[in-house]
Amino acid sequence: MHAPAPALVDVRWIVSLVSQSVCDQPGAVCQDPRFIGGDDITFYFHSKKNHNFCPLSDSNLHINAHFIGKRNANMKRDFTWVQSIAILFGKHQLFIGAQKTTTWDDSVDRLALSFDGELITLWESEGARWQSESFPHVSFVRVGDTNNVMVKVEGKFRITARVVPITEEDSRVHNYGVTKDDALAHLDLGFKFFSLSNRVNGVLGQTYRPDYVSRVKIGANMPVMGGDREFQTSGLFAADCAIARFNGASDSENEGSVEGLEFPSLNCASGIDGRGVVCKRYMRHCSICMS
């Protein structure tokens, strides 16, 4: 596969959008993981490592997140982080993931991206852009040279995603117990939605409903959102959580349900595997696995 010629765009407007940390804005999903809801209330959702949960489900948009983590022997829960997300809309599917890495180097790109099963290759240059030929409303743009991307579907959503590691200092301060064999690369995410219904649900999605009353204990040192069972899905591309709203309909036509769609099953040396996942190693780590 040949990388496309670089498509560079004026990124000044993009940089201005993310000049403030996405982790401090409504729609943020960062750290362990800490959410900022559409109601501007901050809360934590601890979940479980190696499981998938639904941040948002609406009739024409569904987002799942895969969590990685570490078990602390002195606690009854896992420390968890979002390693990848899958976005379903109509019959389309997007994937954004952080590739596993042992030693972190921010100059080495660890993003894995795909749209409708097609591996997305972006030149490692700020402003490099990819736009779908089959569905031109979808675009990927690099916000930095590596590990930072903005994904946009016109009229539906905009997502900023950055791959970050757990540092030795983070591990020491929070007692994460991170070892040298895995930097626990994960995603810091910022979501902006443009067409949600009043029935939207999910860990994050429910906070955008006009009638939503916060389920967390306001004023607590660490307000926690419970209900992991109702938000858990059987797979990264499965819209089968208990609160699922997704029916696969687009804005202009009923495109059917995601149920029954077959996504490729992959096994990747980078540590990302499962149905619907596309993986690669960038530039000097040149290998692509698809099956």
Side-chain angles (χ1 to χ4, degrees):
M1 178 180 294
H2 297 285
L8 300 180
V9 297
D10 184 349
V11 297
R12 285 174 293 182
W13 69 275
I14 297 175
V15 173
S16 68
L17 286 170
V18 296
S19 59
Q20 291 181 304
S21 171
V22 297
C23 296
D24 297 326
Q25 307 296 316
V29 181
C30 301
Q31 302 165 12
D32 180 21
R34 179 174 64 90
F35 289 69
I36 302 179
D39 55 2
D40 207 23
I41 293 176
T42 299
F43 63 91
Y44 290 81
F45 180 73
H46 290 147
S47 65
K48 298 177 182 177
K49 66 177 181 179
N50 302 324
H51 285 71
N52 305 289
F53 295 88
C54 171
L56 184 141
S57 187
D58 207 355
S59 59
N60 62 1
L61 176 64
H62 186 95
I63 301 174
N64 287 334
H66 179 73
F67 288 73
I68 56 173
K70 294 284 289 186
R71 169 64 72 169
N72 185 318
N74 298 321
M75 300 178 64
K76 295 182 179 180
R77 69 171 182 88
D78 299 328
F79 290 119
T80 55
W81 300 272
V82 175
Q83 178 264 336
S84 59
I85 59 172
I87 304 104
L88 312 177
F89 58 102
K91 290 183 179 179
H92 302 290
Q93 50 111 345
L94 276 162
F95 172 82
I96 307 172
Q99 299 188 55
K100 184 177 180 179
T101 183
T102 53
T103 303
W104 180 257
D105 181 349
D106 197 48
S107 67
V108 177
D109 197 67
R110 306 306 297 165
L111 275 167
L113 308 167
S114 75
F115 174 64
D116 285 347
E118 178 184 354
L119 176 69
I120 305 304
T121 302
L122 286 172
W123 285 77
E124 294 182 6
S125 177
E126 184 175 77
R129 185 174 187 268
W130 180 95
Q131 186 168 6
S132 171
E133 294 182 358
S134 62
F135 195 75
H137 299 297
V138 177
S139 60
F140 294 73
V141 180
R142 282 199 187 273
V143 179
D145 291 345
T146 59
N147 296 310
N148 207 341
V149 70
M150 178 178 288
V151 181
K152 183 178 180 181
V153 176
E154 291 182 14
K156 287 189 177 294
F157 59 82
R158 182 177 68 232
I159 301 173
T160 53
R162 180 169 184 173
V163 182
V164 293
I166 296 298
T167 66
E168 291 185 6
E169 180 64 11
D170 288 336
S171 183
R172 184 190 66 79
V173 171
H174 298 288
N175 198 26
Y176 289 144
V178 173
T179 55
K180 294 185 180 298
D181 63 332
D182 189 355
L184 289 173
H186 60 282
L187 299 175
D188 276 350
L189 297 157
F191 293 94
K192 178 70 173 180
F193 303 106
F194 304 120
S195 59
L196 298 178
S197 77
N198 290 340
R199 297 184 67 247
V200 64
N201 213 320
V203 180
L204 178 65
Q206 63 187 338
T207 67
Y208 287 86
R209 292 203 306 262
D211 62 347
Y212 177 71
V213 177
S214 182
R215 296 167 53 175
V216 303
K217 186 177 180 180
I218 306 299
N221 290 333
M222 181 178 282
V224 176
M225 174 72 69
D228 58 323
R229 291 184 180 180
E230 63 184 304
F231 300 121
Q232 187 169 341
T233 66
S234 62
L236 187 58
F237 282 81
D240 60 0
C241 54
I243 52 80
R245 299 286 186 264
F246 185 70
N247 61 27
S250 69
D251 293 333
S252 59
E253 63 179 341
N254 188 342
E255 295 183 318
S257 170
V258 70
E259 293 181 7
L261 292 181
E262 289 296 324
F263 300 101
S265 180
L266 308 178
N267 187 8
C268 306
S270 64
I272 301 175
D273 53 31
R275 301 195 67 78
V277 177
V278 179
C279 67
K280 63 169 283 190
R281 292 181 183 272
Y282 286 78
M283 299 298 187
R284 48 185 166 267
H285 307 288
C286 186
S287 64
I288 301 174
C289 55
M290 300 184 68
S291 61

